[in-house]
């Protein structure tokens, strides 16, 4: 049992760099679909608890609605195209804990398969912050923005004639 726990701990630690950043739970969705974004926040800023989470919404997503979170205040920033930023604040997410921040919106039906949409996110902690805003798409980016890859829209069902 102890050996199994040790091996499991090593596996988790070796995967740490892949799991250490803020990301989207579902990382692909079809063009034209309603996408439920679940922003995963796996830790605070070093040892400091996360107090605010901000996420920018790409122009190719519209009709965005965030999910309220008990214990957190919710604010949106909009332009003439709709919600462009969601801010959850006033909460307390200790670095030792994990949480999710949820929103939904429609993806533009004209998006080409393979298009990457980025959702830059910032965690604000007491005295520090973690900015997950690198939209370069490089696999080795130190602070990659959460990314959604667009897939092909499902084919329309063929008409049925009597």
């Amino acid at each position: 049992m102890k050996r199994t726990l040790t091996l499991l701990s090593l596996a988790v630690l070796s995967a740490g760099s892949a799991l250490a950043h803020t990301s989207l739970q579902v990382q692909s969705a079809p063009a034209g679909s309603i996408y439920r974004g679940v922003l995963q926040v796996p830790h605070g800023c070093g040892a400091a608890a996360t107090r605010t989470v901000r996420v920018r919404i790409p122009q190719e997503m519209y009709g965005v609605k965030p999910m309220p979170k008990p214990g957190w205040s919710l604010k949106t920033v909009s332009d003439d195209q709709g919600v462009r930023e969601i801010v959850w604040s006033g909460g307390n997410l200790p670095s030792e804990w994990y949480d999710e921040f949820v929103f939904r919106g429609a993806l533009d039906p004209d998006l080409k398969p393979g298009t990457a949409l980025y959702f830059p996110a910032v965690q604000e902690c007491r005295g520090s912050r973690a900015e997950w805003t690198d939209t370069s798409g490089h696999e080795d980016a130190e602070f990659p923005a959460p990314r959604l890859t667009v897939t092909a829209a499902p084919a329309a069902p063929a008409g049925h004639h009597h």
Side-chain angles (χ1 to χ4, degrees), residues 9 20 32 44 58 67 69 81 92 99 104 132 137:
S9 296
M67 182 182 286
K69 198 164 185 46
Q81 301 296 311
N92 185 40
D99 207 345
R104 64 177 282 191
W132 306 100

Side-chain angles (χ1 to χ4, degrees), residues 40-59:
Q40 300 174 316
V41 179
H43 56 74
C45 313
T50 298
R51 308 286 297 178
T52 299
V53 174
R54 300 174 180 274
V55 61
R56 284 198 318 262
I57 306 298
Q59 294 292 324

Side-chain angles (χ1 to χ4, degrees), residues 116-152:
L117 299 180
Y118 292 94
F119 295 78
V122 175
Q123 290 172 257
E124 295 178 7
C125 305
R126 192 164 281 141
S128 62
R129 60 196 283 146
E131 298 186 24
W132 306 100
T133 57
D134 185 332
T135 60
S136 68
H138 293 121
E139 294 301 319
D140 60 348
E142 189 174 2
F143 298 102
R147 178 174 64 190
L148 175 70
T149 301
V150 177
T151 60

Side-chain angles (χ1 to χ4, degrees), residues 10-139:
L10 288 174
V12 168
L13 287 174
S14 66
S17 61
L19 299 174
H21 59 273
T22 297
S23 62
L24 293 170
Q25 183 180 60
V26 176
Q27 298 180 358
S28 65
S33 68
I34 301 297
Y35 175 70
R36 182 176 187 266
V38 179
L39 187 68
Q40 300 174 316
V41 179
H43 56 74
C45 313
T50 298
R51 308 286 297 178
T52 299
V53 174
R54 300 174 180 274
V55 61
R56 284 198 318 262
I57 306 298
Q59 294 292 324
E60 299 85 356
M61 179 179 259
Y62 54 90
V64 173
K65 293 183 178 184
M67 182 182 286
K69 198 164 185 46
W72 295 74
S73 295
L74 177 59
K75 178 177 98 169
T76 57
V77 178
S78 299
D79 64 14
D80 57 348
Q81 301 296 311
V83 173
R84 294 295 118 215
E85 183 179 41
I86 303 167
V87 181
W88 290 271
S89 63
N92 185 40
L93 176 58
S95 192
E96 299 81 17
W97 296 358
Y98 157 90
D99 207 345
E100 299 175 336
F101 298 80
V102 182
F103 60 93
R104 64 177 282 191
L107 297 176
D108 188 323
D110 296 327
L111 288 168
K112 303 283 185 246
T115 299
L117 299 180
Y118 292 94
F119 295 78
V122 175
Q123 290 172 257
E124 295 178 7
C125 305
R126 192 164 281 141
S128 62
R129 60 196 283 146
E131 298 186 24
W132 306 100
T133 57
D134 185 332
T135 60
S136 68
H138 293 121
E139 294 301 319

